[in-house]
Structure formats: structure tokens, C-alpha cells
């Protein structure tokens, strides 16, 4: 695994060298940035992706981005990224984003290509580890298991800024496209295709569309802004059920639909303090599920339709102690319902997380962090090798990031 990581870093370095020697654009208008990070995770019980109960170093990222100003209002950029988070990513080098950006004026701009999905406060900057205090973002809204699904839109986006005079200003983004999916990601391959539909070999999954908008109102109160992010999507699945012998069938154009996912956001900065809070509702409808008879080993009920709704929220407070030190804490809740039934007292249906973070800037390009999590419940996590879930557990996270 580590040898593969080194190979990926070498490829990233080679890409940077190629970009540096190009003469297609004046080098004064070309900007090259990147980061390399390595972390460590250790949980007392349960597993937050990978063998965290034994302690794991499978928690690293590396990326390089190249942006070029092609004309006064026209720019292009690309970022290659390699990441490993337990059984996700596995240091495979991927195009994280690549788009062409035309900015007519401050009010209207257009992006075409693959770009970060504007969702909540952090999704579009979630990989910029150096700019935030925490190591892990609140998992109910920024779930690392589905990071590669939610991180990007491939299509077109309209964005801009509107001056509201005495009422502040408005930043907006409207987008339409699809969300690129790697069906080998564990959340897709094991939980969805195999666990829900019984597709253990082959099969396909793709977003037919993903559309949404994000609005942020910069209020007249200095440092205070409010936001809303909304998204609707349709996902199509094809394949053959091989796992459930009591209901053998071909799965043809099965649909997973997100009717309307929304996130409400608030952020207030005053002197050295920053307060953030977000609330999310995400409903998913599975139409014509092929599973019948007995509930599946993953615990999904039988029947032709299956509805799940996730409700999550968190509050966070950070403080800049000095030029080099920051501390922060958040408390988050996440609940998941099945077929409209939600038992908030069932530890399998909730995950509560109190986190305490510390960040130290060794210099302008190197930061180190330490973090402690106290969890209650085990929604969305895995049991350790004992196979038994623990209701109360904790996790320690360490991380070092170098940016350039």
C-alpha cells in the first residue's frame, strides 16, 4: 500500500514538471499548488472505515493543481488527487476537478467541466485541510464514506455575486450535470450494489442527472452569513441479482431518487472566534427494489419500495489562540430512518459525536493537528473484528499537512 502511495506521489511530481515546462500559456499566468498529508486514526471500538480499532496509517492525501489565466476573463484548471481512507480511495490517482471558467463580470460566470459540488460550507473546500481547525468534518453532513460520490459535479455551473446595497450581498451557484461514480468504492460496491440489490459481480450505476443551487447571504452584520444548498438527483442501476436466491432477477433501470436534499448553513466570525452551524435533510427513494421475501443480510426489508431519510446537524466553535495555534470543538448529531421509521434511541440509527481539535502551524506551509472524538451510536460505521458494535466509543486522530 505504501509503495503504491510513493508511486502516486512520483506521478504527481512528474505532472508538475510537465506543467512547469509547458509554453502554451505565459508562465506568469500559471499557478501550481498542491498538498501532501499523512494521518493516523485509532478507535477504542468499532471502525470508522478501515482497521481503526487496531490503529491505521491508511489516512493520507496528495494533490497537485494547475490553474492558468488564458485571457482576461477566461481561465482553466485541473487537479489530480490520490487519497487513502481505510478501504476507500486506495491511493488511486484521479482527476479531482478539471474545468473551464468564463467570468463575464462580478454578477455572472460560467464553469464547464468537472468542478467541486457547492454544498454546505465545506464541501467545495473539504480537501483544503490547512484552512480549517478540525481533522474530520462532522460526519453526518460530510460523510467520508460518500466523499467521492458527493465531491464533484460534471456538467455546467452558473455563479455570481449580487450587491444588495444596505441589505448586504448574495453569492449564488446553479448547476446541472451528473456526479461521477466509481462503482468499486465500498459504499457503492458492498453496501449498495451487493448489499441492497444483490449485484455481486458486474452491474452498472450512474447519475442520470444532478441539479441544484447554493445561495449565501452576506448579511449587513460584519462576519455573519447565512446559506442554503439544495440538490435533486436520479441514479440508475442495472445488473443481475446473484446474492439472494429467494428472488433471482435481472435488475433493469432501477432507480434511486433524491427528491430534494437541502442544507441550511450559518457562519459568524468575530475577532478570533468563528461559530458555524448546519442542518441537513437527505431523503432517498428506491423504486421497484428487486428484493423480496426475507430481509437481506444487510438488514434491508423486503418489498417493492424502500425509503430512507438522513437528518443531521452540528454546531461548531473555533478560536485563534495565536498566529500559530487554533483550537476548536463541535457537537454533531446524525439520524437515519428506514421506511419512514426513525427510532432516535436506537444506536444503530444514530451517531452522535463530540470532537475537540487543536491545530499548530509550524510555518506558513506546514501544519499539524490532533483531535479527540467521543461517539455515541454506530450509524454508518463498521463493527471491529469481534463483530459486536459498541454504543459508546472514542477515536484519536493525528494529521500533518504540507501545502505548496
Amino acid at each position: 500500500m505504501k509503495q503504491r502511495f510513493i508511486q502516486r506521489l512520483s506521478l504527481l511530481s512528474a505532472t508538475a514538471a510537465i506543467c512547469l515546462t509547458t509554453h502554451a500559456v505565459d508562465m506568469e499566468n500559471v499557478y501550481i499548488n498542491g498538498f501532501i498529508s499523512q494521518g493516523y486514526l485509532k478507535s477504542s471500538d468499532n471502525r470508522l472505515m478501515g482497521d481503526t480499532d487496531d490503529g491505521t496509517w491508511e489516512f493520507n492525501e496528495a494533490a497537485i493543481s494547475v490553474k492558468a489565466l488564458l485571457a482576461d476573463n477566461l481561465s482553466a484548471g485541473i487537479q489530480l488527487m490520490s487519497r487513502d481512507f481505510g478501504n476507500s480511495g486506495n491511493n488511486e490517482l484521479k482527476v479531482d476537478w478539471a474545468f473551464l471558467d468564463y467570468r463575464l463580470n462580478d454578477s455572472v460566470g460560467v464553469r464547464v467541466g468537472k468542478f467541486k459540488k457547492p454544498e454546505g460550507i465545506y464541501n467545495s473546500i473539504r480537501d483544503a485541510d490547512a484552512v480549517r481547525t478540525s481533522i474530520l468534518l462532522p460526519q453526518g453532513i460530510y460523510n467520508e464514506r460518500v466523499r467521492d460520490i458527493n465531491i464533484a459535479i460534471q456538467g455546467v455551473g452558473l455563479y455570481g455575486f449580487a450587491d444588495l446595497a444596505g441589505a448586504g450581498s448574495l453569492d449564488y451557484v446553479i448547476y446541472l450535470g451528473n456526479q461521477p461514480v466509481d462503482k468499486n468504492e465500498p459504499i457503492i460496491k458492498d453496501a449498495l450494489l451487493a448489499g441492497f440489490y444483490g449485484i455481486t459481480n458486474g452491474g452498472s450505476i450512474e447519475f442520470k442527472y444532478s441539479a441544484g443551487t447554493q445561495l449565501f447571504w452576506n448579511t449587513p452584520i460584519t462576519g455573519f452569513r447565512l446559506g442554503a444548498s439544495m440538490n435533486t438527483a436520479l441514479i440508475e442501476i442495472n445488473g443481475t441479482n446473484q446474492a439472494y436466491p429467494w428472488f433471482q432477477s435481472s435488475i433493469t433501470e432501477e432507480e434511486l431518487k433524491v427528491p430534494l436534499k437541502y442544507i441550511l448553513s450559518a457562519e459568524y466570525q468575530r475577532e478570533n472566534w468563528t461559530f458555524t452551524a448546519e442542518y441537513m435533510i437527505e431523503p432517498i427513494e428506491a423504486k421497484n427494489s428487486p428484493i423480496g421475501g426475507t430481509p437481506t443480510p444487510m438488514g434491508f426489508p423486503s418489498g417493492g419500495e424502500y425509503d430512507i431519510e438522513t437528518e443531521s446537524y452540528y454546531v461548531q466553535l473555533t478560536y485563534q489562540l495565536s498566529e500559530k495555534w487554533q483550537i476548536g470543538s463541535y457537537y454533531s448529531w446524525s439520524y437515519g430512518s428506514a421506511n419512514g421509521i426513525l427510532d432516535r434511541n436506537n444506536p444503530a440509527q444514530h451517531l452522535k459525536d463530540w470532537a475537540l481539535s487543536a491545530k499548530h502551524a509550524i510555518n506558513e506551509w506546514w501544519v499539524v493537528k490532533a483531535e479527540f472524538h467521543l461517539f455515541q451510536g454506530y450509524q454508518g460505521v463498521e463493527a471491529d473484528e469481534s463483530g459486536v458494535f459498541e454504543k459508546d466509543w472514542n477515536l484519536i486522530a493525528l494529521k500533518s499537512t504540507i501545502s505548496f
Side-chain angles (χ1 to χ4, degrees):
M1 185 68 71
K2 292 304 172 188
Q3 183 178 3
R4 182 186 296 178
F5 180 53
I6 293 171
Q7 292 173 345
R8 301 301 182 189
L9 289 180
S10 299
L11 185 52
L12 287 171
S13 301
T15 302
I18 293 171
C19 295
L20 284 169
T21 57
T22 183
H23 298 286
V25 180
D26 185 347
M27 287 306 297
E28 291 184 358
N29 295 323
V30 175
Y31 307 91
I32 299 176
N33 303 99
F35 61 86
I36 299 171
S37 72
Q38 178 63 60
Y40 176 77
L41 299 171
K42 176 68 174 72
S43 59
S44 61
D45 303 280
N46 303 330
R47 291 176 173 174
L48 185 69
M49 296 182 65
D51 298 331
T52 54
D53 55 320
D54 294 326
T56 180
W57 293 95
E58 289 187 283
F59 183 35
N60 55 257
E61 301 163 317
I64 186 167
S65 63
V66 181
K67 297 180 182 178
L69 183 62
L70 305 177
D72 288 343
N73 295 333
L74 182 65
S75 62
I78 183 171
Q79 176 166 291
L80 302 179
M81 185 171 182
S82 168
R83 67 188 295 269
D84 189 21
F85 196 142
N87 50 13
S88 179
N90 294 322
N91 288 319
E92 292 185 12
L93 188 63
K94 298 180 180 179
V95 176
D96 203 36
W97 50 260
F99 60 86
L100 194 67
D101 187 301
Y102 178 71
R103 191 178 185 89
L104 182 63
N105 50 47
D106 288 343
S107 300
V108 180
V110 180
R111 292 191 185 105
V112 178
K114 183 179 181 181
F115 50 88
K116 290 292 182 70
K117 185 180 180 183
E119 195 167 74
I121 294 173
Y122 293 108
N123 197 58
S124 60
I125 59 170
R126 67 187 298 166
D127 298 320
D129 181 73
V131 304
R132 68 173 190 268
T133 308
S134 65
I135 295 177
L136 297 175
L137 290 165
Q139 291 299 286
I141 295 179
Y142 303 101
N143 190 339
E144 286 294 334
R145 296 201 330 150
V146 295
R147 181 261 180 206
D148 285 350
I149 303 173
N150 281 334
I151 194 63
I153 290 293
Q154 190 165 301
V156 60
L158 188 71
Y159 70 93
F161 168 86
D163 188 353
L164 303 179
S169 63
L170 186 70
D171 296 305
Y172 72 89
V173 183
I174 303 170
Y175 60 86
L176 174 65
N178 60 38
Q179 295 174 214
V181 177
D182 180 357
K183 73 174 186 178
N184 291 317
E185 277 294 303
I187 188 69
I188 296 295
K189 180 180 178 181
D190 299 329
L192 180 59
L193 291 181
F196 187 78
Y197 286 102
I199 304 172
T200 57
N201 185 33
S204 65
I205 176 170
E206 67 171 317
F207 276 78
K208 305 304 291 183
Y209 66 81
S210 180
T213 184
Q214 182 181 70
L215 302 173
F216 263 99
W217 175 37
N218 305 298
T219 73
I221 302 172
T222 302
F224 182 43
R225 63 177 187 149
L226 298 170
S229 308
M230 290 163 282
N231 173 251
T232 181
L234 182 65
I235 305 150
E236 185 178 283
I237 297 170
N238 291 276
T240 301
N241 168 24
Q242 299 117 349
Y244 309 124
W246 56 85
F247 198 92
Q248 292 288 342
S249 70
S250 293
I251 298 148
T252 306
E253 296 183 355
E254 302 297 333
E255 292 181 353
L256 290 176
K257 184 177 182 181
V258 180
L260 182 62
K261 171 185 177 181
Y262 64 86
I263 301 175
L264 303 178
S265 309
E267 182 179 62
Y268 180 52
Q269 297 179 329
R270 182 178 176 85
E271 297 179 347
N272 293 342
W273 295 92
T274 301
F275 170 80
T276 52
E278 295 192 280
Y279 173 78
M280 182 190 79
I281 288 285
E282 183 177 22
I284 296 177
E285 299 175 358
K287 297 293 186 181
N288 301 320
S289 165
I291 296 169
T294 307
T296 77
M298 297 290 290
F300 296 115
S302 59
E305 295 185 0
Y306 181 74
D307 298 326
I308 184 170
E309 183 173 270
T310 300
E311 178 184 12
S312 304
Y313 39 103
Y314 75 87
V315 290
Q316 177 178 248
L317 187 65
T318 64
Y319 181 68
Q320 184 84 37
L321 284 170
S322 66
E323 183 180 354
K324 293 183 176 293
W325 282 97
Q326 289 181 4
I327 57 172
S329 182
Y330 65 74
Y331 190 71
S332 70
W333 305 258
S334 180
Y335 303 98
S337 67
N339 277 349
I341 300 173
L342 174 61
D343 181 359
R344 293 179 182 270
N345 295 318
N346 183 353
Q349 287 189 297
H350 70 247
L351 185 67
K352 301 176 182 179
D353 177 15
W354 175 73
L356 182 63
S357 313
K359 171 187 170 184
H360 176 58
I362 295 176
N363 51 44
E364 62 181 11
W365 47 268
W366 186 9
V367 299
V368 293
K369 299 180 182 182
E371 190 165 276
F372 175 77
H373 290 260
L374 188 62
F375 290 103
Q376 185 182 76
Y378 43 87
Q379 179 204 24
V381 302
E382 303 168 7
D384 57 27
E385 59 187 9
S386 71
V388 178
F389 287 100
E390 293 294 335
K391 176 183 176 182
D392 299 299
W393 54 293
N394 58 66
L395 179 138
I396 295 172
L398 304 172
K399 196 173 186 182
S400 173
T401 300
I402 292 174
S403 303
F404 58 91

